[in-house]
Amino acid sequence: MNARPVSIVALIVRRLVQLPFIVLAVYTLTFILAWSVPGNPLENPEGRRPPAEIVEAMKKQYKLDDPVAFYFDYLEKASGIGYLRGTTDRVFDLGPSLKQPDWSVNEILATGLPVSITLGLSAMVMALMLGLFAGLVGGLRPGSIADLATQLVSVIGISLPSFVIGSALLMLFAVKFGLFPVGGWGGIAYIVLPALTLSLPFAAYISRLIRFGMIEEMGSDYIRTARAKGLTRARVALQHALKNAFLPVLSYLGPATAVALTGSFVVEKVFAVPGVGQHFVDGVLGKDITLVMGVVLVYSTLMVVFNLVVDVMYRFVDPRIA
Amino acid sequence: MRLLIPVIALVLALAAVVSLDRPLPPADFVLIDRSDVYTLDPQRMSYQHELRRARVIYEPLVNLRASDCEIVPGVAERWELSPDGLTYTFHLRADAKWSNGDPVTSEDFRYSWRRAILPDSAADYSGLFFSIKGAKAFFEARNAMIKEFAAKHAKTPSAAEAEALWKRTVELFDSTVGLHAPDARTLVVTLDAPLAYFLDLCAFPCFSPVHPATVEAFVSIDPATGRAIQRHDWTKPGRIVVNGAYVPTVWRYKRDMRLEQNPHYWNKDAIVAKTIECRTVENPNTGVLSFQSGAADWLTDLGPEYKTEMLAERRAYLARFKAELDAGLARGGRVDDIVATLPPPGDGERRDARGFNAFGTDFFSFNCRAALPGDRFNPFNDARVRRAFALAVDKQALIDRVTRLNERVASTLVPPGTIDGYPVVEGLGYDPERARAELKAAGWEDRDGDGIVENAAGVKFPTVDILYSTSSPRYQNLALAMRDMWKRELRVAAECRGKDSKLYKEDLKKGNFMIARGGWYGDYGDPTTWLDLQQSQNGNNDRGYSNPEFDQRLAAASGEADPALRLRKLAEVERWLFTEEMPMLPICNYVTVYMYDPVRTGGMTDHPRLEQDLSILGPRRGDAPPAKEPAP
């Protein structure tokens, strides 16, 4: 037991040392891909065309004429080295968006990230509730109609892509019944459908974890003992069995939340949610290199840090992992 | 209990982020655009929805009245033109104020126009200022200075040298460009030559002033290239200072923008909606559904999937009330005002969608270059071949079966009726017989009976390469339909090549096509906004059409001093262009489809230039839409 705090510190240190290398690898790979997209991001396909000198001068200003210079310049400013050296006045300067020149990538992330995080967290809360409910229903009465029904739904949830589920939910609940707004953002009502769409695969997985856990726990000796002592089935299930059946969900929750936070691109597009995902897709299509690089840098950093936080939390919650 | 900690953490985090995002109170008028504005910097704008917003955020010297596109006073309360037509003297009104209370001065205009002319700003519309005396020379001189500086200082940046260069530039501007501010309320503009539409230009949003102190804080001189580098952060709410009817108070990236009445605006009594919310909804389906659920008053761009059907429903509705509509129109009423008094639409009818002929023309470009890339033979270098291909297209059939918006067939570029005093010009129509004759005259006929035309040497007509962008199914369908027409009428082999809009643009620039999709919207109320496209040196001349005779004819006509004669001469140039030269194949004038309920919303103009004025849109007041100040 005494060794645990040391190991947590070691874990944190190790991960933090790894962080820059992981992010650098992701940055380099993304840079190569983003640069090889054809076209000039400063030009709008339907727009007027400025004279050639101006196009050249602008390319120079944004270092679009020299990939090597762009690579190092961007890295310097984004990593904070530029701030220390005084070449930029933002600590982590992710540059101006090439497509939307009035916006810096920092500002775009500042407006988009809270939206994406809200969506991701709501989806996880929903996934937990749905998964718990479906898992309990199935796990307490394996083989029953209710069990088969929840299993069927969870298979659908896992296997159907979110753009199909999203569009179907949209048609049904927004267009046909008019219960929710069609798209956009601005209050709880706007969150429900996209969060539900995003949550389904996670909910399905959680329900399966709970179901198997419950079936296993309910057949174990300590449950039989508890029942023999006269506790009701419901109390045994919820107080004792669920506690242990929930542990695998907990391990799953960490990475799943990271995926939900960073993986809502498609759902954002379907529901016109102004989150980072949608901006990222637009950035890729429009060769907005600074935006693409900025989002990738922030998200890969977030992903590493989030995984670290989750690992630390596990050790606290479940001593067996340490 | 420890098990619950992560779950609680999750819920708390969620509650925290949700509480950060408070919805705004409802606005008086809500519109939905398909895309967010790229910039709120008036000198760097170029898109219609941006310019529309700029018209109510900034105010230029003069305004374009939406209802009839007449020039009415803006910041300038009056102006004089010297007898030689070269010097405009604008007198600025005393109560013109910035949104921070500063007075709007003539120096502000000089600063802003200089900014637009400076190549450093990379403004799309620098060229519009070149009619001002010395502006073009200044632009070129500054360009040369930068080029020289960059070559010299690329390795040895020098802030002092760059500053000195900037100082020389400002001195050059002050001493050579015909733009003077004798006092804070007088602006004197001298032109190179009389320009009939100069006031129309002055009403264009790129001629609006920006607040110099606000903008200047974000300008720096680059010691390596000598350029004045601008950061654009000043356009954000909280920082931005404007002189128009509205101040942007919220701008959330690709989500929404809120405009609130500018308390310092001199003409604020003419404003209808106190607050305007401009939402961005990129998905056309979502846009329509939002409008139909009542979340918006105006959908500015109806998605292509809906247009045909909704316009048919509108026609059905209007057909039922034809008598009332005709009677109202005969009394001089406006369509919206009459429709608003009619009973509500029944099943299969609607009045909340309306199509307008836009100030834009849909066309296909012929590649007029001597050869295709790789020195391949280009049959379209020959005007006879271009005429043949134009004559072989049945445009009415394209409109009836492909575009299906009941557009107006176009045989020339300038949309008829959009420019006062400009005659309707007829170009080549549909005449397959003559098309074959033209092709034969160019040496192409089917000599061996294999169904493909050959020249005298027996060489087959090369497979026609039709380039279109896949951004909209419209262009693919048009290209396919025309391919079949050309195959049938002219006996040529043709292939359509769809490309993503970026690649399409690359091919256009390289001249890698024979026939390519194009389109153009006019910027100001003069035929040159259209005809300039065919100039040899024009940056948007995708056709590579270069004919000194045309350049010279256009220059001569456009330089004519008598305004009426000038328009007639320009019309003659256009007629010649579209009956003889045929660098492009006009198809139709674009139709813009709005969704708005005329019962609820008033102030929408149907003038063919379609310059909607956001400050007069909004709930009907029960009388005619309010007009800004009458023309002087």
Side-chain angles (χ1 to χ4, degrees), chain B residues 97-103 211 213-214 239-243 247 262-264:
Chain B
K97 295 250 166 57
W98 290 99
S99 51
N100 64 357
D102 289 355
H211 189 248
T214 305
R239 278 187 288 249
I240 190 168
V241 175
V242 300
N243 73 326
V247 187
N262 176 2
H264 292 283

Side-chain angles (χ1 to χ4, degrees), chain A residues 27 69-78 94-95 290 293-294 297:
Chain A
Y27 172 80
F70 184 99
Y71 177 90
F72 288 108
D73 182 68
Y74 192 83
L75 194 58
E76 179 189 320
K77 289 185 174 144
L94 302 174
T290 47
M293 301 309 297
L297 278 181

Side-chain angles (χ1 to χ4, degrees), chain A:
Chain A
M1 286 301 276
N2 286 341
R4 208 199 306 162
V6 180
S7 75
I8 282 189
V9 172
L11 173 87
I12 294 173
V13 170
R14 198 171 65 223
R15 291 290 185 82
L16 288 182
V17 171
Q18 284 172 351
L19 173 72
F21 294 100
I22 295 172
V23 174
L24 185 68
V26 174
Y27 172 80
T28 309
L29 201 65
T30 319
F31 177 79
I32 294 169
L33 289 174
W35 196 273
S36 52
V37 173
N40 173 5
L42 299 177
E43 224 169 58
N44 294 310
E46 308 295 328
R48 307 290 200 256
R49 210 172 294 152
E53 300 95 329
I54 292 181
V55 173
E56 282 314 307
M58 280 173 75
K59 274 189 168 175
K60 225 184 200 89
Q61 178 185 342
Y62 294 108
K63 300 204 162 50
L64 288 173
D65 51 346
D66 183 354
V68 178
F70 184 99
Y71 177 90
F72 288 108
D73 182 68
Y74 192 83
L75 194 58
E76 179 189 320
K77 289 185 174 144
S79 61
I81 297 172
Y83 178 73
L84 296 177
R85 288 184 49 193
T87 51
T88 170
D89 49 11
R90 266 199 203 98
V91 183
F92 300 108
D93 186 358
L94 302 174
S97 159
L98 299 180
K99 273 286 180 210
Q100 306 272 343
D102 286 21
W103 293 85
S104 68
V105 175
N106 297 55
E107 287 171 322
I108 291 176
L109 283 167
T111 59
L113 259 185
V115 174
S116 291
I117 291 178
T118 308
L119 179 58
L121 290 181
S122 316
M124 278 329 287
V125 171
M126 263 191 206
L128 255 182
M129 296 192 303
L130 287 175
L132 257 179
F133 175 76
L136 280 175
V137 166
L140 288 176
R141 302 224 189 284
S144 65
I145 303 272
D147 178 36
L148 289 178
T150 50
Q151 283 212 70
L152 186 71
V153 172
S154 71
V155 167
I156 292 173
I158 287 181
S159 41
L160 273 187
S162 51
F163 59 86
V164 174
I165 296 180
S167 309
L169 289 177
L170 203 59
M171 283 313 292
L172 203 62
F173 292 104
V175 179
K176 197 146 170 81
F177 299 134
L179 293 176
F180 298 103
V182 178
W185 199 249
I188 304 281
Y190 289 85
I191 303 178
V192 177
L193 288 184
L196 182 63
T197 309
L198 186 59
S199 76
L200 279 184
F202 303 112
Y205 197 80
I206 291 173
S207 84
R208 312 204 106 202
L209 288 177
I210 297 270
R211 179 178 177 272
F212 288 125
M214 287 304 283
I215 292 173
E216 201 184 294
E217 299 295 333
M218 288 304 276
S220 62
D221 292 342
Y222 76 97
I223 294 294
R224 221 170 311 145
T225 313
R227 286 285 279 155
K229 274 167 62 185
L231 290 181
T232 61
R233 188 176 147 85
R235 198 153 165 208
V236 169
L238 292 179
Q239 263 194 353
H240 299 278
L242 182 59
K243 206 165 159 185
N244 287 327
F246 193 69
L247 273 178
V249 175
L250 207 58
S251 336
Y252 174 67
L253 214 52
T257 309
V259 170
L261 287 182
T262 55
S264 51
F265 292 8
V266 176
V267 176
E268 286 181 17
K269 201 81 200 167
V270 171
F271 290 93
V273 174
V276 177
Q278 197 179 162
H279 305 333
F280 182 75
V281 173
D282 294 342
V284 170
L285 294 177
K287 201 184 177 181
D288 193 340
I289 301 178
T290 47
L291 177 59
V292 171
M293 301 309 297
V295 172
V296 166
L297 278 181
V298 170
Y299 268 30
S300 51
T301 310
L302 270 185
M303 196 78 169
V304 173
V305 171
F306 205 85
N307 276 331
L308 174 62
V309 170
V310 167
D311 283 355
V312 171
M313 237 185 200
Y314 281 163
R315 290 173 187 239
F316 178 65
V317 173
D318 183 7
R320 283 185 302 185
I321 295 172

